Amino acid sequence: MLTTKPRGTNDILPGEVEKWQYIEKVIREVCQTYGYREIRTPIFEHTELFQRGVGETTDIVEKEMYTFKDRGDRSITLRPEGTAAVVRSYLENKLYAGTQPLKLYYIGPMFRYDRPQAGRYRQFHQFGVEVLGVHSPGIDAEVMAMAMEVYGRLGLKDLELHINSLGCPQCRPLLKERLQEFLQPHLEGFCQQCKGRYHRNPLRILDCKSEKCKQLSEGAPTTADCLCPSCAAFFDEVKRCLDLLGIDYVVDKNLVRGLDYYTHTAFEIMAKGIGAQSSVGGGGRYNGLVEACGGPEIPGIGYALGLERILLAMEQQGAEFPPAWRPDVFLVTACPEAEEEVYKLLADLRELGYSADKDYMGRSLKAQMKYAGKLNARRTVIIGENELKNGTITVKDMITGEQEEIKREKITVLLGGK
Ligand code: HAM
């Protein structure tokens, strides 16, 4: 146990972590392009926030939360997603009092007690955005455009943007009634959870992962069949704005999403060829969430993507990552007397902003050269007796293998300015 990580978690090791840094960098660039600012909320929140925010009948709240009592006997939950926490922070910090809409983003770990498999983990990472304070089809289209921009800049291909409208509280009673009518004859065949959902929230049944429930609910009435005129018009406008922005999409009437807070627009991005966990991101509008969390009636829309899945998709599609990091220079101590010079040069180079390193294991000259190769250093700088005598250094280009002896001061010319 001491040397085994908990199931469904991952170590992100050097070599791999650079890929994460790259993805995060691209994400931050896109956020800046679109005018989103970062928010950082706690990793854990009061359990009630997610129960109320995400919804009591969702898989997340019913089965997947990491919930525990702290030493003060408070029920605490490791955040399973970011939206409820952002809304909590928006209210607690009265961010609604400032200029609206507020465009926020976050990157960080989330926790769900899910059955681990490729692309599905118990600790995973999300990049998410939330726009609060505006109900306009244009912003819905913008959030989707931004999501697609992230994938595009990361070099992902073959993605499909699925969109649907989940309606509003006015359309829901009709939907509930028609769903119950359709599902009632098959009720006995559904899983225990879905039986409970039948009365409380039949829409949730359409999102059940059980094959049997999926089969039984095939052909059920969809939200699209029950939209009120105002929701239908809003959805048409969202599609028009997507067209204006040149974003391709597929209307998917079966898209319901796994969280209860959605109203109006819901969307998901699917990647082909990454296996069962093909959803590389999803989101939607949540006009009732701020109110459900105890705040005023303020609309919102957001989206989140799973970083692990993005990475998986990029690797499977052969997307390019920047070249692996390498030190600019490795300093080789060719005789014990050179050590002082090596330390001085090391300090100088680092001060100038170069990535420089040396040996601390008492390696032989040959072993130091080999070690420099393993570190993938761009150049080695060798200081030995001759160099000490001449006030020079010997620089070896580790790509071409060329070697030259130069005056010590010339090193920065050779390395290029920083
Ligand atoms: P979600 O669909 O539950 O939405 O999660 C968003 C994305 O997180 C998924 O598309 C997937 O890429 C990734 N993801 C979810 N669960 C796992 C897991 N167990 N392992 C790996 N990746 C996972 C939300 O969380 C909403 N908060 C999104 C949102 C923001 N809606 C409005 N604003």
Side-chain angles (χ1 to χ4, degrees):
M1 285 300 265
L2 279 182
T3 52
T4 318
K5 57 187 163 42
R7 201 161 121 76
T9 64
N10 290 301
D11 295 316
I12 307 170
L13 302 175
E16 192 68 6
V17 86
E18 289 80 4
K19 294 181 183 168
W20 284 73
Q21 288 167 346
Y22 166 65
I23 295 174
E24 288 165 16
K25 181 171 145 275
V26 170
I27 284 172
R28 287 178 199 283
E29 280 166 10
V30 175
C31 285
Q32 206 158 30
T33 310
Y34 280 74
Y36 287 69
R37 299 181 67 193
E38 186 173 0
I39 181 166
R40 300 187 187 192
T41 61
I43 300 286
F44 58 85
E45 297 273 352
H46 295 296
T47 302
E48 203 192 340
L49 175 69
F50 301 115
Q51 286 169 335
R52 284 239 234 131
V54 175
E56 299 273 10
T57 53
T58 58
D59 271 358
I60 295 180
V61 171
E62 282 191 334
K63 302 192 279 201
E64 298 172 0
M65 294 207 301
Y66 278 90
T67 298
F68 56 95
K69 284 278 175 76
D70 71 5
R71 287 172 192 274
D73 209 31
R74 295 171 206 94
S75 182
I76 293 293
T77 294
L78 300 185
R79 60 182 188 191
E81 60 103 48
T83 313
V86 168
V87 167
R88 195 266 311 135
S89 175
Y90 178 77
L91 289 173
E92 188 164 354
N93 296 293
K94 299 192 174 53
L95 300 181
Y96 49 82
T99 311
Q100 305 293 303
L102 199 60
K103 295 172 156 190
L104 302 167
Y105 80 91
Y106 48 87
I107 302 177
M110 307 289 162
F111 307 85
R112 293 184 194 176
Y113 193 80
D114 223 329
R115 206 145 41 83
Q117 59 186 84
R120 197 202 279 165
Y121 309 99
R122 290 184 175 168
Q123 175 173 336
F124 60 99
H125 297 77
Q126 276 188 351
F127 151 60
V129 307
E130 311 296 346
V131 185
L132 287 144
V134 59
H135 179 66
S136 154
I139 197 80
D140 294 26
E142 176 185 292
V143 170
M144 291 184 254
M146 181 191 188
M148 299 314 281
E149 172 107 24
V150 169
Y151 303 122
R153 284 207 208 175
L154 289 171
L156 282 173
K157 295 178 295 274
D158 297 331
L159 298 181
E160 256 178 19
L161 170 64
H162 289 218
I163 64 168
N164 194 16
S165 172
L166 299 182
C168 68
Q170 264 83 53
C171 334
R172 289 284 165 90
L174 175 64
L175 176 66
K176 190 173 173 186
E177 195 186 304
R178 292 187 55 184
L179 270 177
Q180 284 175 330
E181 224 173 74
F182 177 91
L183 298 168
Q184 214 278 330
H186 320 286
L187 200 55
E188 271 317 298
F190 282 98
C191 72
Q192 231 19 59
Q193 240 133 16
C194 282
K195 281 182 190 150
R197 289 162 173 167
Y198 175 81
H199 292 289
R200 292 199 288 163
N201 189 359
L203 187 59
R204 274 275 71 84
I205 296 179
L206 307 184
D207 190 47
C208 184
K209 287 175 191 145
S210 134
E211 277 310 317
K212 184 87 194 290
C213 298
K214 272 188 193 161
Q215 260 173 26
L216 288 174
S217 53
E218 226 162 82
T222 64
T223 50
D225 303 325
C226 306
L227 291 186
C228 68
S230 135
C231 282
F234 188 89
F235 192 42
D236 284 342
E237 263 307 287
V238 171
K239 288 183 271 184
R240 195 177 72 89
C241 292
L242 283 171
D243 292 337
L244 288 176
L245 292 172
I247 306 292
D248 291 334
Y249 57 85
V250 181
V251 175
D252 179 353
K253 291 183 175 182
N254 295 316
L255 180 74
V256 290
R257 304 278 299 134
L259 303 95
D260 273 353
Y261 46 61
Y262 293 114
T263 59
H264 303 85
T265 316
F267 62 97
E268 228 157 86
I269 296 99
M270 311 292 185
K272 288 183 204 148
I274 67 160
Q277 303 307 309
S278 60
S279 167
V280 288
R285 179 160 282 287
Y286 45 84
N287 285 357
L289 181 59
V290 178
E291 224 181 339
C293 292
E297 211 186 308
I298 292 176
I301 174 161
Y303 147 84
L305 65 75
L307 293 178
E308 284 81 0
R309 285 193 203 168
I310 294 298
L311 193 59
L312 204 67
M314 286 176 74
E315 279 168 349
Q316 283 179 1
Q317 294 190 357
E320 271 184 44
F321 290 94
W325 173 84
R326 58 197 308 179
D328 295 316
V329 49
F330 184 85
L331 302 184
V332 174
T333 318
C335 66
E337 299 75 35
E339 194 173 38
E340 200 180 313
E341 271 308 299
V342 164
Y343 270 115
K344 277 193 206 156
L345 187 57
L346 184 68
D348 287 352
L349 288 172
R350 284 177 174 168
E351 200 178 318
L352 287 167
Y354 295 103
S355 159
D357 214 340
K358 74 178 280 299
D359 169 56
Y360 293 100
M361 306 274 285
R363 287 182 171 87
S364 68
L365 172 61
K366 207 171 142 200
Q368 286 183 60
M369 293 305 288
K370 207 168 149 194
Y371 177 46
K374 282 212 174 121
L375 292 180
N376 202 18
R378 178 68 186 80
R379 290 183 177 82
T380 48
V381 165
I382 305 153
I383 307 182
E385 279 169 17
N386 268 344
E387 287 82 3
L388 284 179
K389 202 164 65 206
N390 302 335
T392 56
I393 52 178
T394 297
V395 182
K396 180 173 179 184
D397 187 310
M398 297 294 273
I399 297 174
T400 61
E402 275 167 33
Q403 197 164 304
E404 62 175 318
E405 196 175 334
I406 58 167
K407 283 279 167 209
R408 191 191 145 152
E409 315 78 74
K410 291 274 163 61
I411 179 73
T412 50
V413 178
L414 197 75
L415 294 179
K418 278 256 164 171

